[in-house]
Amino acid sequence: MRARHAVPLALLLALPVTACTPGPTLENQGEVTAPPGDSKSLTIGSAGFTESDLLAQMYALLLDRAGYSTKIISVTNREIYEPALESGQIDVVPEYAATFADWLNAKKNGADAAPVGSPDLATTMKALRTLAAPRGLTVLDAGRAVDQNAFAVTAAYARKHHLKSLSDLGKSGLPVRLAAGDECVQRPYCAPGLKKTYGIDITAVDPKGVGTTQAKQAVQSGQDQMVLTTTTDATLDDFGLVLLADDKHLQNADYLVPVVNRSRAGSQGVRTALGRLNTVLTTADLARMNEQVDSWRRLPEDVARAYLRSKKLIPGN
C-alpha cells in the first residue's frame, strides 16, 4: 500500500476555486436538480486531531478500494474547511451530526440562533440535511459510532457511592466540583444541564479543559470529583476513571457522518464505499484506535488500515 500523507493547509489555500465544480451558493438557493457528481479523484479533509485523522484515513482506504484516487488534506479550522467543502476544494469530510447541524444553523441564522441538534438522531439528521442541501452538501448516513460529551469519575468513587449513571449521582446529593472547560458554566449540556436534568449539585467548575491530562489528574487526586471528557476517550483507564451513563440523554446525537460535496462526490459509488464502515465501526472501536495513536504512538494510517483489514473491508497482505 502506498504511503498517504496529509496535504498542508497552505496548499488548500493556494488551490484555485475555479478548478473545481462548485455547489450552489446561498445566493442561488433552490431545489437541487442536477445529478450528483462522481469525480474519480477526491480530496478528503481532516480536522487535524487524532479521531478525525483516523476517519479520514479510513475514508481514503475505502474509496481507494472502490476505484477512486484520494488525497488527504488537514485543515484544523471548520471556518476554513466547510467553505472549501462547499466549493469543491475538499470533497469529503468526517463530521459530527449535532455539532455540524448547529454550526451550519448558526452560519445561516446567526450565533444566537436556537440549536437544531438534539439527542434524537433522526431529528438531528433531518435538520442537518435541510441546512446542508442548499450549500451543495450531502450528508451520508450515520453509523453506530458516536463521539459525545461524557462525564467520568474515579472507579473508587463510583464503587463507594454506588454510581453507574448521572441519575445515580444526582440522587446521591453529593457535592461535585467539575473539571471542564470554562464555557461549561454556561453551556446547556454541561453544568446547567447536569443541574436541571439530573439534579447534580455542581459546586464549581474547575477550568482545566475538556478531557485534558490536567483535568483527569484533578479528579484522580480528589481535587475534583468529575471530569468532562468524550465517549471515545481512550485514556480513562490510565487515570482510574469510569464514565457515568447519560441515562436521560442530556447530550446531543453527535454520531459520525460523512459529508460530501454533492457535485463531485455525491454518487452512489461514494455512498456505498463509505457506508461499509457504518456496519462495523462502534464507539468502542474508535476509542481503541484513538488509544493506539495517542498512547502507543502508532500512525493513524497504520491503525486505520489494520482496523479495516480486521473487519475484511480491505484486503490484507
Side-chain angles (χ1 to χ4, degrees), residues 55-212:
L55 289 163
Q57 294 287 351
M58 286 190 282
Y59 288 3
L61 290 163
L62 289 169
L63 288 167
D64 284 351
R65 174 66 172 159
Y68 295 87
S69 173
T70 62
K71 64 181 178 182
I72 293 174
I73 192 164
S74 183
V75 187
T76 58
N77 191 319
R78 188 179 274 119
E79 284 76 9
I80 295 176
Y81 75 67
E82 190 278 330
L85 182 63
E86 289 188 33
S87 72
Q89 291 173 293
I90 294 175
D91 303 305
V92 185
V93 295
E95 264 294 357
Y96 301 88
T99 295
F100 196 45
D102 285 338
W103 192 87
L104 288 179
N105 186 48
K107 184 175 182 180
K108 177 183 178 182
N109 298 310
D112 295 331
V116 295
S118 81
D120 181 74
L121 178 59
T123 300
T124 297
M125 289 292 287
K126 181 178 179 180
L128 174 55
R129 284 171 166 155
T130 298
L131 289 161
R135 296 182 177 275
L137 307 180
T138 296
V139 181
L140 305 188
D141 291 341
R144 300 156 60 191
V146 58
D147 188 349
Q148 296 170 307
N149 287 341
F151 297 91
V153 299
T154 66
Y157 184 84
R159 285 194 302 270
K160 179 179 179 180
H161 299 290
H162 309 289
L163 306 177
K164 293 184 178 180
S165 68
L166 291 170
S167 287
D168 292 339
L169 182 56
K171 293 174 183 176
S172 73
L174 293 165
V176 174
R177 181 177 163 93
L178 175 63
D182 53 8
E183 72 278 2
C184 177
V185 174
Q186 297 179 328
R187 290 287 173 87
Y189 308 115
C190 201
L194 291 172
K195 293 178 181 179
K196 180 178 179 180
T197 302
Y198 290 105
I200 297 173
D201 181 14
I202 303 294
T203 60
V205 172
D206 187 3
K208 285 186 164 57
V210 179
T212 63

Side-chain angles (χ1 to χ4, degrees), residues 129-303:
R129 284 171 166 155
T130 298
L131 289 161
R135 296 182 177 275
L137 307 180
T138 296
V139 181
L140 305 188
D141 291 341
R144 300 156 60 191
V146 58
D147 188 349
Q148 296 170 307
N149 287 341
F151 297 91
V153 299
T154 66
Y157 184 84
R159 285 194 302 270
K160 179 179 179 180
H161 299 290
H162 309 289
L163 306 177
K164 293 184 178 180
S165 68
L166 291 170
S167 287
D168 292 339
L169 182 56
K171 293 174 183 176
S172 73
L174 293 165
V176 174
R177 181 177 163 93
L178 175 63
D182 53 8
E183 72 278 2
C184 177
V185 174
Q186 297 179 328
R187 290 287 173 87
Y189 308 115
C190 201
L194 291 172
K195 293 178 181 179
K196 180 178 179 180
T197 302
Y198 290 105
I200 297 173
D201 181 14
I202 303 294
T203 60
V205 172
D206 187 3
K208 285 186 164 57
V210 179
T212 63
T213 296
Q214 293 85 349
K216 293 171 191 171
Q217 288 174 336
V219 176
Q220 184 183 39
S221 69
Q223 176 184 343
D224 299 331
Q225 286 72 52
M226 188 163 68
V227 60
L228 169 62
T229 182
T230 67
T231 53
T232 58
D233 189 330
T235 65
L236 295 178
D237 285 348
D238 297 340
F239 297 90
L241 304 178
V242 293
L243 293 180
L244 296 181
D246 179 21
D247 51 310
K248 292 185 179 179
H249 306 292
L250 172 64
Q251 302 304 321
N252 279 345
D254 259 332
Y255 284 77
L256 298 171
V257 291
V259 182
V260 304
N261 177 289
R262 184 181 187 275
S263 65
R264 288 183 48 81
S267 69
Q268 187 59 47
V270 171
R271 186 183 298 270
T272 298
L274 298 182
R276 298 176 70 198
L277 192 60
N278 290 352
T279 64
V280 298
L281 184 65
T282 66
T283 304
D285 289 342
L286 200 50
R288 283 191 289 269
M289 284 190 279
N290 285 338
E291 181 183 26
Q292 290 177 49
V293 175
D294 291 337
S295 297
W296 304 358
R297 297 294 185 257
R298 295 186 62 192
L299 294 175
E301 179 183 4
D302 294 338
V303 174

Side-chain angles (χ1 to χ4, degrees), residues 7-86:
V7 179
L9 171 60
L11 180 56
L12 172 66
L13 297 176
L15 290 174
V17 176
T18 53
C20 303
T21 303
T25 67
L26 289 184
E27 290 73 24
N28 296 293
Q29 285 188 26
E31 184 178 357
V32 178
T33 57
D38 192 26
S39 172
K40 295 302 180 182
S41 180
L42 299 174
T43 298
I44 299 164
S46 164
F49 56 94
T50 294
E51 188 167 289
S52 190
D53 288 344
L54 283 164
L55 289 163
Q57 294 287 351
M58 286 190 282
Y59 288 3
L61 290 163
L62 289 169
L63 288 167
D64 284 351
R65 174 66 172 159
Y68 295 87
S69 173
T70 62
K71 64 181 178 182
I72 293 174
I73 192 164
S74 183
V75 187
T76 58
N77 191 319
R78 188 179 274 119
E79 284 76 9
I80 295 176
Y81 75 67
E82 190 278 330
L85 182 63
E86 289 188 33

